[in-house]
Amino acid sequence: MTISKFIIKRRTTNDSWDVRSLVLPPKWTTDTTYEAGELSFELLMIDNTFIPQMGDAVYFGWNGNNVFMGYIFSAEYSKDNKTISCVAYDKLRYLKNQDSIVWPVSTLSQRFERVTKAAGITHKVVNNSTYKLKTEVADQKTYFEMLQTGIENVLSATGTRYYIRDNYGTVELLKAQQTQTDLILGDASLLTDFNYTQSIDQSANTVKVIREDKHSKKRKVVTYDEKTKKKKTKTETTSWTTTTVKHADSADHIKQWGRLQIVEKADNDMNDAQMLTKAKQLLREKNKISQTLKVTAIGLLGIRAGTSFYFRSQELKTFGFGQKLVFPTKVTHTFDPNDWTMDIEVLI
């Protein structure tokens, strides 16, 4: 295992430097939570023959495989250690650019195409999305924020998870299902350590969706019980406004956890049926235990953020793990020729 490529190239000229003999073990981090891929590395300073500049392109390969292509965004010079510590980001970094866009009814794929073109980055729609997103005003938002809104709305409406990644210089839109693998991490298979956490701190078992009407003095409350699948309606008189409320809850989890309630404001043009559908959607998303799994394992290039794999642990059978498909949201590879490791955070 070795660094097979580490080239730094000046974007304004044709000058380039092969710095494989100067670089210490680099770290490569990929993240599906709307952060750019990052390569952090240190260069030995020898006779000041080469000093990287902001914006220099970085090309990194490992064992003959192209791994990272990006640009230097920061450098720290240490006289004592005689090193230069650099951080380079892939092209997803340019999705932090801000813009103001009035979105018409359009698909996630169409919005992805538009913002990547506006950011001036090479891109590809690997998996097309046909779900129509409603009109929206995105004022002084980053391209990441615009895509995040679209991705979350598609997931909520269709159950299909999309994500974006940089594939060695090409930014791609993919379905999570597209990058699912048969790889197994766990007992006797690459795993060296793990940490598993459960929490209901951000959960909710009661959801209210509210629509206000200032021209009336009545409030309609519609309650939906997930257990009985029954809906109950009552009307209340108030002194200030008419508020239509759609309410969904889980009786079993209220009994087990206590009442954990959130409130969502509905658009003025939402009818009662749409409000109830929204309440049910939010309840499905929030009415569950949050599970966090952090894994340390022997390095494998087939695993990066967004590439699903199977996790297996006899110790976690009590929590429902025998063998479970997991979605890594963040992966950090440390490319030490003597000890290549990866730290993984997964969504369960």
Side-chain angles (χ1 to χ4, degrees), residues 87-291:
V87 175
Y89 295 114
D90 61 26
K91 289 183 180 179
L92 289 176
R93 173 60 180 78
Y94 296 103
L95 294 181
K96 284 190 173 183
N97 291 349
Q98 291 186 331
D99 208 339
S100 293
I101 298 177
V102 179
W103 290 108
V105 173
S106 50
T107 66
L108 175 61
S109 301
Q110 290 168 331
R111 296 188 182 189
F112 172 80
E113 289 269 8
R114 180 169 174 179
V115 299
T116 48
K117 285 179 181 177
I121 52 182
T122 308
H123 58 277
K124 180 180 180 181
V125 176
V126 177
N127 301 115
N128 190 43
S129 172
T130 58
Y131 176 76
K132 296 291 186 180
L133 297 164
K134 66 181 182 180
T135 58
E136 178 188 354
V137 177
D139 190 25
Q140 293 182 306
K141 300 288 187 181
T142 67
Y143 295 136
F144 261 143
E145 289 171 327
M146 296 179 196
L147 290 174
Q148 180 178 1
T149 298
I151 287 171
E152 290 177 351
N153 286 339
V154 169
L155 176 61
S156 178
T158 69
T160 301
R161 181 185 301 279
Y162 283 82
Y163 74 100
I164 49 180
R165 72 176 185 186
D166 182 300
N167 185 9
Y168 201 69
T170 299
V171 173
E172 299 176 332
L173 175 68
L174 311 98
K175 289 181 182 178
Q177 185 180 5
Q178 176 73 18
T179 51
Q180 180 178 324
T181 72
D182 294 326
L183 295 171
I184 298 174
L185 262 69
D187 300 332
S189 179
L190 302 176
L191 180 70
T192 58
D193 195 12
F194 70 85
N195 180 276
Y196 174 70
T197 304
Q198 288 188 337
S199 174
I200 58 169
D201 196 42
Q202 300 299 318
S203 301
N205 49 34
T206 305
V207 176
K208 286 186 177 181
V209 178
I210 298 175
R211 188 187 69 234
E212 295 183 347
D213 182 355
K214 296 180 180 179
H215 301 293
S216 176
K217 294 183 179 180
K218 292 183 179 179
R219 169 184 289 169
K220 184 190 293 181
V221 181
V222 179
T223 303
Y224 173 80
D225 188 307
E226 185 188 48
K227 186 176 182 180
T228 63
K229 309 297 183 186
K230 291 182 179 179
K231 183 175 72 171
K232 183 172 64 176
T233 304
K234 66 177 180 178
T235 301
E236 300 173 351
T237 301
T238 72
S239 60
W240 65 93
T241 184
T242 292
T243 305
T244 303
V245 180
K246 295 299 178 183
H247 178 132
D249 64 31
S250 170
D252 288 344
H253 280 169
I254 291 173
K255 184 176 180 180
Q256 184 178 355
W257 303 342
R259 185 176 296 276
L260 303 173
Q261 181 171 295
I262 60 172
V263 176
E264 180 92 356
K265 273 197 170 183
D267 295 336
N268 290 333
D269 58 352
M270 265 193 179
N271 60 36
D272 289 3
Q274 290 170 328
M275 289 173 63
L276 186 59
T277 298
K278 180 68 173 177
K280 291 179 183 179
Q281 284 179 349
L282 288 170
L283 186 64
R284 281 196 302 270
E285 294 169 13
K286 294 288 187 178
N287 184 36
K288 56 188 176 184
I289 297 171
S290 170
Q291 302 176 82

Side-chain angles (χ1 to χ4, degrees), residues 10-30:
R10 198 124 301 155
R11 293 164 82 178
T12 54
T13 68
N14 289 322
D15 296 330
S16 62
W17 296 265
D18 184 339
V19 295
R20 281 177 292 177
S21 62
L22 303 179
V23 69
L24 300 179
K27 288 187 177 183
W28 175 49
T29 300
T30 51

